[in-house]
Amino acid sequence: MGTPARPEARLRGGAIWSRPPYFRLPLGERLLPARGALPGEMAAQQPLRVLALAGFRQSERGFREKTGALRKALRGRAELVCLSGPHLVSGAEGSEGAGPDSEPCLPPEEQPRGWWFSEQEADVFNALSQPTVCRGLEEALGTVAQALKRLGPFDGLLGFSQGAALAALVCALGQAGDARFPLPKFIILVSGFCPRGLGPEESVLQGPLSLPSLHVFGDTDCVIPSQESMQLASRFTGAITLTHPGGHFIPVAAAQRQAYLNFLDQLTE
């Protein structure tokens, strides 16, 4: 067997920012300033608060677990507040849910949910179809607006898959003047895409969105092909793209972890 391929990340669209020097204590997680850092520098920096929107068919608890490595990587720099969609997804399969008969027995944070459905009569979603409806989208927007009001303020948004599409729409509506959605300082979109079937609201995503954005997607993502994420990135001015050789997940290998930190660093420069 050959040598395993090393994790790969390619950062395009912006410079690589240098990170202040720190060292980690051997037996703890506390980060201390390296020699030469300004006194009180670390105390003055509060972690960025980020509202993280789950993907379709993800429960709140499941999304927290799937972002565990990312939250650990960003510890001290950013804290994630995870939010799943308002709609139960009946008949969801996999580790995050069971059949429709068992779903009501699960606590709310473990029930598989979605932000909207792409068919009028069925609780399904296909990002690559050409739907005529986005059933439940208004409730999804209301859920995000309520979270921003009750759990905020937030510095940024993060979204995965369907949650990334919704996060982009929220920013577009905010830039267009929707008072429910104050424009965040930045946005991170993982396996994102331009939502289809929005009707009149679809036009708000046509113009350039003016906020720092990081777009993360996998070269072998079969759920959301990379060209879909690139199309969404083109809607943002000065978008930075980070690719990885994997599929439909949030990558947190060393190379990607450093790219996240570099992106956050430039926000405080």
Side-chain angles (χ1 to χ4, degrees), residues 65-86:
E65 292 174 351
K66 288 183 179 296
T67 56
L70 177 62
R71 286 187 285 109
K72 183 177 180 180
L74 301 181
R75 185 174 298 166
R77 311 292 287 283
E79 59 181 32
L80 305 185
V81 177
C82 295
L83 187 68
S84 59

Side-chain angles (χ1 to χ4, degrees), residues 40-177:
E41 182 180 2
M42 291 295 290
Q45 294 182 357
Q46 296 296 322
L48 297 168
R49 300 193 72 239
V50 182
L51 182 62
L53 307 183
F56 185 77
R57 199 180 282 124
Q58 284 187 321
S59 66
E60 183 176 316
R61 179 176 179 179
F63 189 52
R64 284 201 305 268
E65 292 174 351
K66 288 183 179 296
T67 56
L70 177 62
R71 286 187 285 109
K72 183 177 180 180
L74 301 181
R75 185 174 298 166
R77 311 292 287 283
E79 59 181 32
L80 305 185
V81 177
C82 295
L83 187 68
S84 59
H87 307 293
L88 286 175
V89 179
S90 59
E93 299 178 354
S95 60
E96 294 180 359
D101 292 337
S102 61
E103 284 166 10
C105 299
L106 295 172
E109 68 273 11
E110 295 183 16
Q111 295 174 354
R113 295 177 176 271
W115 294 105
W116 71 88
F117 304 107
S118 55
E119 293 187 15
Q120 187 64 47
E121 303 297 333
D123 294 349
V124 297
F125 176 75
N126 185 345
L128 306 182
S129 67
Q130 296 292 335
T132 58
V133 296
C134 287
R135 180 167 59 87
L137 179 60
E138 284 305 317
E139 292 89 339
L141 291 171
T143 297
V144 175
Q146 187 179 58
L148 291 172
K149 183 178 180 180
R150 293 187 176 183
L151 305 177
F154 291 98
D155 298 289
L157 290 179
L158 180 148
F160 174 68
S161 197
Q162 193 188 47
L166 180 62
L169 177 60
V170 163
C171 288
L173 291 172
Q175 182 172 285

